[in-house]
Amino acid sequence: MFLLIVVSELVQLAGPYLLKMVIDAIANFRKEEMGRIILLIAAMFLTNQAVSLVNFLTDRKIFWILADVERYLPVNAQKKMVFLSLGYHEKENTGNKISKIQRGVDKVVNLLGNLFWDVGPTVIQIVFTAAILFWVNWRFGAIFLLFVPLFAVQTLRLNRQLYPLRKARYDKYEVSSGQMAQAIININTVKSFVQENREVKEFKKIREDIRRTSLFEFYKMLNYNLSRNFVIDLGRLSILALSIYLVWIGGITIGSLVFVITISEKALLSLYRVSRLYDRVMESSEAVERLFKLSEEESDIVNLPDGLKPEKIIGLIEFKKVDYIYKESKQKALDGVSFKIEPDCVTAIIGPSGGGKTTVARMIYRHYDPTHGEILLDQRSLKKYDLYAFRKAIAIVPQEVEIFNASVRDNIAYANPEATFEEIVEAAKTANAEEFIAKLSQGYETLVGERGIKLSGGQRQRIGIARAILANPRVLIFDEATSNLDSYSERLIQEAMAKIRRDKTVIIIAHRLSTIKKADKILVLENGRLVEEGNHQSLAKAGGGLYARLLKLQEMGDVV
């Protein structure tokens, strides 16, 4: 690309030089010089054709590079996003992340386009122009080298003053995108509580702040443009005055005057154009820097390059004195927790909200690493396993199943995209989902809308169970999978859970004790600590225990 630009600029300089020779030949016209003049004119024509050809090749290469960049950057950013740990996504607003990527990609593509079409050619043009002006007469070169740095200093000073304004504007862009995304994601709540006007008002206020910051920034730039124009005009005047003086004393020819004026005028105008482009490049730099920082984000979870990839996972899970503190919290989510989850058994985890139940499930997946202590899978630390190998042996049905804006079939097959339609149907039947899927307008091909908005809570849960079944996991986690459902949906899901417990390590996290009475082992968590452990009969008899108290309250109907 660089070589093409250099060749293009060299060929373009040939035209004005040939024009100089034509003018000099006409100024000292002799009949015998007519053939030479015709040859020079023909050479000018051929030079222009050569410029067109080189520009064609250059533009073709530029478009190829820009198209490649426009493909690579979003793919790379999306890859980075999906491989970053859960902790990163919990602290970053969805709208902010999407805005950061989109703005960054757009600005990088614009920056490269400006670099290839304007900045690069102009810089090379200025270097060649300075060399040629020194060759024609050293005084031209001296004038040119005096005004170019003056202009550059003005441009650098302007952009140094604009940097904090640009940073503030891009912060507000991300806040704006986050505000819009949150309103749309939570549109049901917005409409249910009649808060449409409030959302519009708050979004309008943020955009008004952006407008004020933008205008202040651009007015400052316009003020600097006056001084930059003055520098350019002084440069033009100085070169023109010197050219006329040198022609008057016979120092250069008329053709040389035209040649000097042509190339210096072109270089000075290009310099001004590049300064405006530099302003835009610096304006883009904040978005580019944010995209670059995203590319440098490191996952909290480090996956060993040579991690264990076992052919078979037994499903023995052990927590050894595990502590965990969320970054935004001062209180331990888990505090010295130790227990064993036996393979081919059903282990239930219960306790009040905020007791650490879901944290346990996420740590089994290794979405988080313990602050202290160790988690073992089949008597080996989770950190020694290849992250993606051992996760394939685990499946979860969360409290809120995440549904994609796709067909029922695709949502069930998400855990196993290679599954046949027969396998998908069998998983749906096992999950008691077949009865409602058959009633949908297009059956398994029915689009369910963003976040499964066209499905009820129980239907989403059953799709989640079918998805987990299709993954054929060794360890299966139900994270409060029935807590928000009506009695009918809960019964269907409990039936589905009973069907798939065989030959699996099953972990059930629940509030409702009726869900876990038949569990082989029950772990009771409170304030991040394991306070009780046993089966339903032994824990129910321990009159002063938390489990017995919760059981009594639920029997009385005081808690659900």
Side-chain angles (χ1 to χ4, degrees):
M1 192 70 254
F2 175 76
L3 288 174
L4 279 171
I5 292 171
V6 169
V7 170
S8 174
E9 292 305 313
L10 278 172
V11 174
Q12 287 184 65
L13 285 170
Y17 185 71
L18 289 169
L19 179 62
K20 161 198 162 4
M21 295 175 72
V22 169
I23 291 171
D24 284 341
I26 292 172
N28 303 297
F29 184 75
R30 295 195 305 271
K31 286 184 179 179
E32 55 270 23
E33 290 288 315
M34 195 65 199
R36 180 169 171 267
I37 292 172
I38 291 171
L39 284 174
L40 287 171
I41 292 170
M44 286 182 67
F45 174 78
L46 291 174
T47 299
N48 289 336
Q49 296 310 301
V51 168
S52 295
L53 178 60
V54 173
N55 285 343
F56 167 78
L57 294 173
T58 304
D59 288 348
R60 184 173 172 174
K61 185 68 175 175
I62 290 170
F63 280 122
W64 186 89
I65 291 172
L66 293 182
D68 205 41
V69 167
E70 205 164 10
R71 173 199 62 81
Y72 169 79
L73 286 177
V75 170
N76 195 51
Q78 199 261 2
K79 180 181 177 182
K80 186 72 179 181
M81 280 291 183
V82 297
F83 277 95
L84 280 171
S85 64
L86 193 63
Y88 172 81
H89 291 285
E90 287 176 340
K91 71 182 180 184
E92 280 280 335
N93 179 288
T94 301
N96 290 6
K97 288 181 282 191
I98 294 172
S99 170
K100 190 180 296 182
I101 292 171
Q102 192 56 55
R103 284 187 178 278
V105 170
D106 290 346
K107 295 297 183 180
V108 169
V109 171
N110 290 339
L111 187 151
L112 288 175
N114 290 334
L115 177 67
F116 292 144
W117 273 306
D118 295 296
V119 178
T122 302
V123 170
I124 293 168
Q125 184 187 100
I126 287 168
V127 172
F128 287 160
T129 300
I132 291 168
L133 290 175
F134 270 109
W135 172 68
V136 174
N137 189 293
W138 68 270
R139 283 169 283 196
F140 287 125
I143 290 172
F144 193 72
L145 289 185
L146 171 66
F147 286 100
V148 169
L150 280 175
F151 189 88
V153 167
Q154 289 280 73
T155 301
L156 291 171
R157 185 183 297 167
L158 165 64
N159 282 283
R160 193 165 53 246
Q161 291 182 16
L162 291 181
Y163 173 75
L165 296 174
R166 287 169 179 157
K167 188 174 186 308
R169 178 157 55 91
Y170 274 91
D171 285 340
K172 289 171 184 173
Y173 279 144
E174 290 188 11
V175 171
S176 164
S177 298
Q179 183 82 16
M180 177 178 280
Q182 285 299 301
I184 294 169
I185 288 170
N186 300 308
I187 192 66
N188 187 40
T189 303
V190 172
K191 288 190 166 296
S192 297
F193 289 94
V194 200
Q195 294 299 311
E196 293 94 335
N197 288 332
R198 172 191 170 186
E199 291 294 335
V200 170
K201 184 179 178 182
E202 289 181 358
F203 185 74
K204 184 178 178 182
K205 183 178 182 298
I206 296 169
R207 297 306 304 192
E208 184 59 33
D209 287 345
I210 292 172
R211 175 180 173 274
R212 282 198 297 269
T213 304
S214 299
L215 287 176
F216 183 73
E217 178 185 333
F218 294 128
Y219 287 159
K220 184 177 276 290
M221 187 185 295
L222 288 174
N223 291 337
Y224 261 87
N225 283 346
L226 293 174
S227 61
R228 291 195 289 191
N229 282 334
F230 182 71
V231 171
I232 291 288
D233 290 340
L234 271 181
R236 285 172 172 161
L237 179 64
S238 301
I239 288 175
L240 180 61
L242 179 61
S243 299
I244 293 169
Y245 171 73
L246 289 176
V247 169
W248 180 51
I249 64 172
I252 59 171
T253 64
I254 295 292
S256 295
L257 180 145
V258 172
F259 178 54
V260 166
I261 295 297
T262 301
I263 64 170
S264 63
E265 180 71 9
K266 185 179 177 184
L268 288 169
L269 285 174
S270 295
L271 181 66
Y272 184 76
R273 191 173 75 250
V274 164
S275 75
R276 300 296 296 272
L277 290 169
Y278 178 75
D279 295 341
R280 292 210 293 272
V281 166
M282 294 308 293
E283 194 273 335
S284 303
S285 67
E286 184 62 29
V288 174
E289 184 179 351
R290 287 166 191 246
L291 184 63
F292 178 68
K293 283 180 179 177
L294 170 63
S295 72
E296 289 194 315
E297 281 282 351
E298 294 292 337
S299 177
D300 297 335
I301 307 300
V302 178
N303 190 31
L304 295 176
D306 56 348
L308 297 170
K309 297 179 181 179
E311 292 183 10
K312 184 179 179 182
I313 285 177
I314 297 168
L316 172 62
I317 299 167
E318 186 174 1
F319 276 53
K320 286 188 172 182
K321 297 181 180 178
V322 170
D323 287 358
Y324 185 72
I325 304 174
Y326 287 98
K327 287 183 179 178
E328 67 278 6
S329 175
K330 294 180 181 179
Q331 186 178 352
K332 290 182 179 180
L334 294 179
D335 186 0
V337 172
S338 297
F339 58 79
K340 271 188 181 182
I341 294 175
E342 301 293 339
D344 301 327
C345 291
V346 177
T347 301
I349 304 174
I350 70 145
S353 296
K357 303 184 297 296
T358 297
T359 304
V360 167
R362 289 180 173 179
M363 299 197 84
I364 292 171
Y365 258 101
R366 207 188 160 207
H367 287 317
Y368 309 126
D369 280 335
T371 310
H372 297 290
E374 190 175 28
I375 301 171
L376 306 179
L377 175 61
D378 295 345
Q379 298 182 331
R380 288 175 173 167
S381 172
L382 273 186
K383 293 180 181 180
K384 292 182 179 179
Y385 285 90
D386 177 80
L387 199 61
Y388 309 106
F390 91 80
R391 279 183 183 169
K392 285 181 180 178
I394 308 174
I396 188 168
V397 182
Q399 183 175 357
E400 292 290 338
V401 172
E402 292 171 339
I403 300 292
F404 295 88
N405 186 16
S407 68
V408 171
R409 175 178 180 167
D410 289 340
N411 269 286
I412 294 174
Y414 191 79
N416 183 8
E418 305 302 319
T420 65
F421 182 64
E422 289 72 22
E423 289 171 329
I424 293 168
V425 171
E426 188 59 36
K429 287 179 178 176
T430 307
N432 286 338
E434 173 81 4
E435 59 96 14
F436 83 81
I437 295 173
K439 296 175 185 176
L440 296 175
S441 58
Q442 293 177 309
Y444 284 87
E445 302 305 323
T446 304
L447 295 176
V448 296
E450 189 176 13
R451 294 180 295 128
I453 198 166
K454 296 177 183 178
L455 302 174
S456 69
Q459 290 170 342
R460 288 196 293 270
Q461 291 301 108
R462 280 179 274 170
I463 285 181
I465 292 172
R467 182 190 292 167
I469 292 167
L470 202 61
N472 192 25
R474 190 69 189 83
V475 178
L476 183 56
I477 303 171
F478 293 96
D479 186 1
E480 303 198 36
T482 64
S483 61
N484 294 332
L485 304 179
D486 58 84
S487 300
Y488 176 69
S489 297
E490 181 184 8
R491 182 174 58 80
L492 288 174
I493 288 171
Q494 285 179 347
E495 287 176 5
M497 289 164 63
K499 292 177 191 175
I500 58 177
R501 288 178 181 182
R502 301 182 192 92
D503 303 321
K504 286 179 174 55
T505 300
V506 177
I507 301 166
I508 300 175
I509 297 170
H511 275 111
R512 296 178 184 176
L513 304 189
S514 57
T515 309
I516 50 92
K517 283 182 179 179
K518 295 179 181 178
D520 299 296
K521 182 192 284 187
I522 299 171
L523 305 173
V524 185
L525 291 176
E526 185 179 26
N527 297 326
R529 294 180 180 178
L530 180 65
V531 293
E532 288 181 282
E533 182 177 351
N535 59 28
H536 171 71
Q537 288 77 18
S538 63
L539 292 175
K541 289 176 184 177
L546 177 60
Y547 184 86
R549 294 202 307 273
L550 290 173
L551 184 63
K552 187 176 180 181
L553 288 170
Q554 288 199 7
E555 288 173 349
M556 294 169 62
D558 290 343
V559 295
V560 184

